[in-house]
Amino acid sequence: MSQIEYKSLNEKDLIKLCKNEDCLAFDELTVRNKTQLFHYIISKAKDESTTNDILQITLIKAWKNIKKFQGRAKILSWLTKIAFNAYYDYYKKKKREVSIEAFDLNHNSDKYSHSLSGGNETKLGLVVEDPFRDSKIKELNQKIKKTIDSLSKEHKEVLELRELYGLDCKEISKKIDCPYPTVCTRLFYARKKAKSILKRLLKNE
């Protein structure tokens, strides 16, 4: 079926195809509802980058659970509920991560300050520069490169296009000729995998 034929289908027919794992049908549903979803999420998140992240999560969850959709309401209503839950979960996780990072930063900072001549530099109000800063940055960049190179070809491709070239999912979809929801799914798991690998590399320092 061509893309033009998908555009001519009504919502119910597209949903039936989606339940048979037709990702192009889901792509068409995404095109029809993406703008409304984006406006709904940004009205809460107030930030375009965060909104795009939550929108990706919403579409991934929708694709995974499309077979559970009962059709009692419009697909947009169902997608909006998923978006609300995704927004809530995103900020709950973000808040927890910030709390942990703040604790680690304070803990490490205190420990580092205390180790400098018994903490006298802190008491005297002196600023102590880290002489190994440049080498640490270089080492971190090497670990990030190693992390990206460890990903599968598909995950590496979408992650580089998003993070290095700044393309959004729609642009990546056109560039690599891959359905929009598939790109969103790949990017989601690429980030998750990369985060896990980098965390392990940093832990083994």
Side-chain angles (χ1 to χ4, degrees), residues 10 26 36 38 59-60 64-65 70 90 112 119 134 161 183 185:
N10 61 39
F26 187 76
Q36 293 96 316
F38 181 88
L59 295 174
I60 289 166
K64 284 184 174 181
N65 294 284
Q70 300 296 318
Y90 183 92
Y112 180 67
D134 289 342
L161 288 172
V183 169
T185 303

Side-chain angles (χ1 to χ4, degrees), residues 98-114:
V98 169
S99 298
I100 292 171
E101 285 173 4
F103 172 79
D104 287 343
L105 182 62
N106 291 332
H107 177 72
N108 291 331
S109 176
D110 291 344
K111 186 166 66 175
Y112 180 67
S113 298
H114 183 71

Side-chain angles (χ1 to χ4, degrees), residues 37-48 51:
L37 270 178
F38 181 88
H39 287 311
Y40 171 77
I41 298 168
I42 203 168
S43 70
K44 295 182 173 296
K46 312 295 183 185
D47 173 73
E48 188 171 344
T51 297

Side-chain angles (χ1 to χ4, degrees), residues 12 16 44 58 72 80-81 84 94 96 157 198:
K12 287 185 178 180
K16 284 180 183 178
K44 295 182 173 296
T58 298
R72 295 180 185 138
T80 302
K81 287 180 181 178
F84 174 80
K94 205 76 173 174
R96 185 167 63 247
E157 181 179 46
L198 184 58

Side-chain angles (χ1 to χ4, degrees), residues 106-203:
N106 291 332
H107 177 72
N108 291 331
S109 176
D110 291 344
K111 186 166 66 175
Y112 180 67
S113 298
H114 183 71
S115 69
L116 295 171
S117 303
N120 291 331
E121 285 79 356
T122 305
K123 291 177 183 177
L124 292 172
L126 298 176
V127 177
V128 181
E129 280 197 24
D130 183 355
F132 304 107
R133 181 176 179 274
D134 289 342
S135 62
K136 285 179 179 177
I137 291 174
K138 184 178 179 181
E139 187 178 345
L140 179 59
N141 285 334
Q142 289 173 344
K143 282 184 168 61
I144 291 172
K145 184 178 184 305
K146 187 175 180 181
T147 296
I148 294 175
D149 288 341
S150 299
L151 299 174
S152 67
K153 181 183 176 182
E154 290 81 7
H155 285 167
K156 180 180 178 181
E157 181 179 46
V158 295
L159 191 62
E160 286 184 335
L161 288 172
R162 178 69 186 96
E163 304 301 338
L164 297 182
Y165 297 96
L167 302 184
D168 60 27
C169 282
K170 188 175 181 180
E171 291 169 327
I172 295 172
S173 174
K174 289 180 179 178
K175 186 171 183 62
I176 66 175
D177 193 24
C178 181
Y180 179 85
T182 304
V183 169
C184 291
T185 303
R186 284 183 188 175
L187 184 58
F188 177 81
Y189 284 109
R191 283 174 167 166
K192 190 174 181 180
K193 182 70 175 175
K195 186 176 180 181
S196 175
I197 294 171
L198 184 58
K199 188 175 180 181
R200 188 169 65 249
L201 289 174
L202 293 174
K203 191 176 181 181

